[in-house]
Amino acid sequence: MRQLSLAYQRVVKSRKWAGGIIVLILLLLPFLIGPYPTTMLVLILIYSLVAMGLGLLIGWAGQFSLGQGAFFGIGAYISGFLSVEFGINPWLAMLCSGALAGTLAYVLGKPLLSVPGYKVGFVTIGFSWLFHEFISRLEMLGGSTGFSGIAHFSLAGFTFDKDYQYYYVTLVIVVLFFLLNQNFVKSKLGKQAKAMDTFTGGSALAAKSVGIDIGKLKTKIFMIAGVYAGIAGSLYAHYMTHLDPTPFSVWASILMLLIIIMGGVKSTWGGIVGAAVYFGLQEMLTFILGSKAPMGLQYLIFGCIVSLILLFFPTGIMGFISRLHQQLKQDIPSSLPMRKGFNDKAK
Amino acid sequence: MTKQNSQPFLAVKELTKYFGGLQATNHVSFDILPQEVVSIIGPNGAGKTTLINLVTGVFPPTGGSIWFNHRRIDRLPQAKVNYLGIARTFQDLRLFTNLSVVENVIVGARQRVKASLIEIMTRLGRSKRQESEAVERSMEKLASVGLDKKAHLYPFNLSAKEQKLLAVARCLATEPKLLFLDEPAGGLSREEIRELSSFILTLREKGMTIIFIEHRMEMIMGISDRVIVLNFGQKIADDIPAKIQENEAVLAAYLPKMENRA
Amino acid sequence: MLSLFLEALIPGLTQGCIYALVALGFVVLFSVTKMYHVMIGEFGMAGGMIGATLYAAGMPLYTSVIIAIVATTIISTLIWVAVFYRPFAKGASIMNLKLITIALTLVSVGIAYLLWGTNYKELPPFCRIEFNLGTVRIDPQAPWIWGVLLLIVAGLSVLFDHTLIGKALRASADQPIGARLVGINPNSMAFYAFVLAGALGGIAGIVVVPITMTYYANGIFLTLSGLLAAMAGGPNRVEGAIMGGLFLGVIQSLVGAFISSKYMTVITLACFIVILLIRPQGILGVKEEEL
């Protein structure tokens, strides 16, 4: 173990070089893997954005939401609709999506989160269901067949309509929101969120006693999660150029939840890891079986993987990796404990 | 001016609290004047911490009312009560063990600069100034209790006494006008009690009103302007320390315990 | 007008009974273990699919139904052992267990898809008597459903009030520490509650097949309806589950008949969400003491 630790520390020291190489790979990725996997990559990025917002909500506000699928859909439909009906510039439409999704999240979240006792999980799942039912029947938005004709993103006359171009646009936006997420976590608000979490070493009672308004903070974070999902939805709409209710069902909300939990809620990377596993699984199955895998098989295996990860790595993949990182950094030889309590002691 | 000074700063009127069938607080009434140092004493289970919980809004009273600065506060949420100027420590400290020493203080720090959410997430605008002001003020408070050198350690790195000081610093960051200390002297030596006592008096000089729950006689008798005695949820005495020592009801309540103290 | 009302009310009541059954399963589990899970509907789907498959393979109707229900019970036992049994679930918190059940829902949908594809499966009504209430035709399966609900409610009340194990379950629900003191093992109680909830889900699932058919993704719908009904009615009371379920069915039906059949689900859902927002403990629920 000690050898491994020393080797790891050497790698960490050369972080800057490693970082540079990774950035280079990221930029060249579409050309390395071909056009079809690139579309997968774009989807991974889009889903990871939703998951990132949800991760902030679960990991920092301690609040589960089964409604992100709805916010995702709301963002997508608003952006697509503005683009098709009014010819609004996709970038502007995206901002509108984010703003409207966020506002809706705030309106829904404020009564739900300010007073304890509300069954947030149920209300959000009901909200997801409601949205899906509603959007499947609304003629104006194409009902269950949806509508097409959504414009791609474009900048200064140049339209992003090739796969690798989407990839860059999406990559930039996701990186941006990744950084925003990090900024939040490092800020006073992020610290207040840690302080109010009784399960990981904080104390809700003490937090309140120093003036932290838990309900207000939770609502803010819920709103942020809504914005993330809304923007992701917009990205999705302008990428697909066609929208229908199918990807925005209750399943989507459940999927988002599973993705982020599996990835790890305390880390901003959790969303990306989770989404990568989900979509990567699809690809791997296709590769192994030689032809397109039946959807049922994918659900089955993904469900099993998530269950196993939850059983043995309750903090998710990133949780496990960050603990590994801590131990290797500090030269602690030990069998890697899987229990939740470990995090409180060693820092 | 004089009128303000003689009006009760904190007024508790017929305060009563039931937990199901158990009566924890029984029609307790008292007034606290600005810049008083008052101790609340009584046997274990007398309802002292419950009293703090009621005043600071942890749970609402079953009956009676609480007035702070002429404003009724008995059904306000904790965070609001703190915002109005009341802070408290906990008997079991409840430090944020997942935050560093200085971060423990930052999260509660009152500030002049307030950045919006967007500014915070993009690190533009006022956010950097907000962060630096928070750090500055927090370091000040830490310095005032002597913990500034340990700002980047974690609570579990601190000694018991240092942890208590951190708890106080955390409170002070909220710029309170009234401070409740729940058994601050537990486990301290005589010398440390003397330090703590003079620290409390310094706080009073800076304009604060202090109410503390204690069992240690040196502290109670040493710095209290007044002593309020509770037993079985009721107030059985409210007087200057000298008179309390001779009060029969107090002696009766305490007798088995007093022989082991001081 | 009256016949129109009845035409809407009766199927609504019938559907409501199904929701009530699922909600009952949920309430039984929740009141004993303070936990809930989203697999109840999946048990329903399993029950329905298994029963329909057996019948299609030639087995007599009643036997298929009974075997399906037994199979559901066995499956829920297996799930309990695999997920909740102490040695495996050592590090996991309650929240994690709930999440695992969500993941398992995905697994069960996957399995169902692989076994049966997207085909709908059906069953004939359990008893081929047709009858009418005035001019209103009643689906032959409907009385079965009402009957099953009544039977189950009666059975549950006998169980909880008159049998030792029922009383032990109730004790576990109300006073877990006291129950422990008198030798009741909360783990065993949780197990029984879990299996009972699964069985109830299975019954709900199979008894509805003659009316609405069943397919691999039916589970989620049952789960959501049952959960929403239970939550809105009051998750810690049997009466709450029944009321919530019946309400859900009836309101949906009436809204569909008199306001808008296109948006009936949407409006009903909105109503229930509003109920949850106004009265989070459910209409008949009891607020938990805050300390």
Side-chain angles (χ1 to χ4, degrees), chain A residues 108-311:
Chain A
L108 186 64
K110 188 150 162 58
L112 264 187
L113 301 172
S114 305
V115 178
Y118 283 101
K119 312 284 198 292
V120 180
F122 289 106
V123 175
T124 48
I125 219 180
F127 181 63
S128 266
W129 195 6
L130 183 85
F131 174 73
H132 181 72
E133 289 285 327
F134 182 62
I135 216 80
S136 306
R137 289 176 170 72
L138 196 60
E139 242 92 63
M140 191 167 70
L141 293 177
S144 50
T145 38
F147 63 99
S148 327
I150 305 176
H152 286 308
F153 286 110
S154 58
L155 196 60
F158 180 74
T159 310
F160 297 99
D161 58 1
K162 300 242 181 8
D163 290 309
Y164 66 89
Q165 289 163 344
Y166 295 139
Y167 170 71
Y168 289 134
V169 172
T170 323
L171 186 64
V172 164
I173 294 182
V174 171
V175 166
L176 180 69
F177 276 87
F178 181 91
L179 293 173
L180 293 188
N181 200 327
Q182 293 278 55
N183 288 341
F184 180 86
V185 165
K186 292 187 197 143
S187 74
K188 181 172 167 185
L189 286 179
K191 301 194 170 97
Q192 288 181 330
K194 276 174 93 168
M196 72 186 193
D197 184 0
T198 318
F199 292 109
T200 51
S203 163
L205 191 58
K208 285 189 266 190
S209 77
V210 293
I212 297 176
D213 188 336
I214 293 186
K216 210 158 121 187
L217 190 53
K218 284 190 178 180
T219 308
K220 273 196 189 140
I221 298 181
F222 190 75
M223 184 180 71
I224 294 177
V227 172
Y228 271 59
I231 300 258
S234 171
L235 281 173
Y236 184 82
H238 293 283
Y239 175 47
M240 294 289 182
T241 70
H242 162 85
L243 279 183
D244 66 75
T246 330
F248 309 117
S249 61
V250 178
W251 269 126
S253 292
I254 294 180
L255 208 57
M256 297 299 176
L257 183 67
L258 289 178
I259 284 179
I260 188 63
I261 297 283
M262 185 182 64
V265 292
K266 282 284 190 181
S267 159
T268 319
W269 291 99
I272 300 177
V273 168
V277 170
Y278 178 68
F279 285 102
L281 186 65
Q282 213 172 13
E283 288 315 299
M284 230 174 31
L285 281 178
T286 314
F287 182 69
I288 295 177
L289 293 176
S291 59
K292 193 111 172 61
M295 186 183 62
L297 191 62
Q298 186 191 1
Y299 279 174
L300 176 64
I301 298 191
F302 184 64
C304 284
I305 291 181
V306 175
S307 306
L308 287 171
I309 291 187
L310 283 178
L311 269 178

Side-chain angles (χ1 to χ4, degrees), chain B residues 22-37:
Chain B
L22 174 69
Q23 185 177 44
T25 310
N26 190 350
H27 296 93
V28 172
S29 303
F30 57 84
D31 294 334
I32 309 281
L33 297 176
Q35 292 185 273
E36 268 197 290
V37 174

